[in-house]
Amino acid sequence: VNTAYEMLLEYQKRLISAGGSTPVTPTYSLISDVETIEMADGNVLVGVLGDGSNDATYYFSTTENCTVEFVENNQGSYSTDAKIVVKNNAGETYIVSVTGDVNGDGACGDPVDALEVEVVSNGLDDFATSARELSGDLNGDGAVDPSDSSAIEIVASGMADIDFVNRTVIY
């Protein structure tokens, strides 16, 4: 008795040998501004714009022979901790990290984010995920420290902006 998978493979072989369609390889490319950082809890995308409203098609320059599904985070937002699932033969999943949006509500560098960065930078707590940790590192030095806390407070006060692509603050 053949399994459904074996039957499908046999069907594909017969179709190809009869001059039918050839199998196509799924390919996709992330946009050039996005950087993928491999963390303990998954592949995290950084360098994405931070208004929290971008759907999955925003993150890719091409998607051929595969589909992309965007899964909102716990806040119901397409921001930090949201997931992008590429549905192809590899089935890759990416986690989004938006600089300055440490709580994933889609608002970057607001007072809630500033408070969370301050608590973590003073060693009183840790971020729950790698994506949140990367979003709180506003100067990109690999650590959430008092300089990040100062930077996000200035952003929250309206005296600076976040450069999402370069993961820095513009004064």
Side-chain angles (χ1 to χ4, degrees):
V1 175
N2 288 335
T3 66
Y5 177 72
E6 290 171 331
M7 290 171 58
L8 180 60
L9 287 177
E10 184 60 33
Y11 172 75
Q12 287 177 338
K13 286 181 198 173
R14 289 180 186 178
L15 184 62
I16 292 167
S17 66
S21 63
T22 8
V24 289
T25 306
T27 58
Y28 66 95
S29 299
L30 293 166
I31 61 173
S32 61
D33 294 340
V34 170
E35 177 185 356
T36 304
I37 300 176
E38 290 185 31
M39 304 295 285
D41 54 358
N43 292 321
V44 181
L45 297 182
V46 294
V48 295
L49 296 181
D51 62 3
S53 65
N54 299 310
D55 67 6
T57 57
Y58 163 81
Y59 295 88
F60 297 90
S61 56
T62 61
T63 54
E64 297 175 3
N65 308 313
C66 62
T67 60
V68 178
E69 178 187 359
F70 205 104
V71 181
E72 295 175 340
N73 62 19
N74 292 345
Q75 302 271 348
S77 175
Y78 296 125
S79 191
T80 299
D81 280 337
K83 290 188 172 97
I84 298 174
V85 181
V86 179
K87 295 186 175 188
N88 61 11
N89 55 0
E92 297 181 46
T93 299
Y94 295 94
I95 303 165
V96 176
S97 177
V98 177
T99 302
D101 185 15
V102 296
N103 67 348
D105 65 358
C108 301
D110 64 7
V112 176
D113 295 317
L115 179 61
E116 287 193 38
V117 171
E118 182 178 354
V119 167
V120 171
S121 71
N122 287 321
L124 302 174
D125 202 358
D126 292 321
F127 287 116
T129 66
S130 297
R132 290 178 184 233
E133 183 177 337
L134 287 171
S135 69
D137 182 14
L138 274 76
N139 62 8
D141 67 356
V144 177
D145 52 31
S147 65
D148 297 308
S149 181
S150 297
I152 201 165
E153 286 173 11
I154 293 169
V155 169
S157 73
M159 297 179 0
D161 291 316
I162 297 173
D163 177 351
F164 297 102
V165 173
N166 297 308
R167 298 176 49 216
T168 59
V169 174
I170 304 167
Y171 297 95

